[in-house]
Amino acid sequence: MMLQTMNLLRRNLKRSSSLISSPFRAIHIEKRIEELGITLPVPPKPKANYNITCHASGNMLYISGHLPIIADGKLCTGRVGPESGGRTIKEGYDAARHCGLNIISTLKNELGDLDRVAQVVKVFGIVNSTTDFKEHHLVMDGCSDVFIEVFGTPVGYHARSAIGTSTLPLDMVVEVEAIVQIRDN
């Protein structure tokens, strides 16, 4: 089983490398977003004393922590932990999905063309949770799933970490940051 997993990863990495060096992709991400019935939110603005939502270094974009802001501008708040009266895993998943959509919106704003995304490299999520909650990875699937829906595989497939904390700024449910590899214009 471990050998099969390693071979699958090698194949995906090989395909990913060839896509990065290739000047064109057959997928047009904005068209895919439309076909999926997804409406991207307005790119979020920083909520504290920093003036950028992402920083470019070479062909890498380091995307600041994004909040679960829904289309009407409301922030998803609260702690996940249904056994202790907190939000459900589904509510946490939806909040992480909103973080992912906000990250995609920031990418669109920064790059102009989402087809410039060569690879979603790494996603890091922090879940505001009760001390007895142990399913942070299921909450973060909301963000990972939307990246794979929008960018497909292997481009949307990424490394990921998910941790829990007892509090987050503005009492948000989850915060997500990402590292994305981009193509030149």
Side-chain angles (χ1 to χ4, degrees), residues 120-140:
V120 177
V121 177
K122 170 85 169 142
V123 173
F124 177 65
I126 308 162
V127 180
N128 186 1
S129 59
T130 59
T131 56
D132 60 340
F133 186 70
K134 309 294 185 223
E135 306 295 332
H136 307 90
H137 60 292
L138 298 177
V139 169
M140 280 304 299

Side-chain angles (χ1 to χ4, degrees), residues 8-128:
L8 177 63
L9 286 172
R10 281 190 193 108
R11 279 196 306 273
N12 280 336
L13 286 174
K14 211 176 271 188
R15 266 187 265 148
S16 176
S17 297
S18 66
L19 280 172
I20 292 166
S21 61
S22 161
F24 300 105
R25 282 194 8 219
I27 299 169
H28 297 287
I29 300 304
E30 282 85 0
K31 183 170 175 41
R32 180 183 290 205
I33 288 171
E34 185 180 314
E35 289 169 355
L36 291 168
I38 294 172
T39 302
L40 290 178
V42 173
K45 302 241 185 284
K47 299 282 188 215
N49 191 20
Y50 59 100
N51 62 358
I52 59 172
T53 52
C54 63
H55 174 75
S57 179
N59 68 338
M60 303 299 279
L61 276 179
Y62 297 87
I63 302 164
S64 298
H66 275 56
L67 313 180
I69 301 169
I70 55 178
D72 67 3
K74 283 181 63 177
L75 184 64
C76 300
T77 60
R79 296 170 80 188
V80 182
E83 287 79 29
S84 297
R87 301 233 176 242
T88 66
I89 292 172
K90 170 77 168 98
E91 289 170 316
Y93 176 99
D94 291 344
R97 182 177 175 85
H98 287 297
C99 289
L101 290 170
N102 282 295
I103 289 171
I104 293 168
S105 181
T106 292
L107 287 168
K108 172 79 174 134
N109 189 56
E110 292 292 320
L111 301 173
D113 180 3
L114 289 171
D115 285 319
R116 289 190 58 208
V117 173
Q119 182 67 52
V120 177
V121 177
K122 170 85 169 142
V123 173
F124 177 65
I126 308 162
V127 180
N128 186 1

Side-chain angles (χ1 to χ4, degrees), residues 165-184:
T165 187
S166 62
T167 186
L168 281 171
L170 306 174
D171 192 34
M172 68 183 113
V173 174
V174 61
E175 180 174 359
V176 180
E177 61 185 49
I179 301 170
V180 176
Q181 188 172 21
I182 58 172
R183 302 176 211 295
D184 293 330

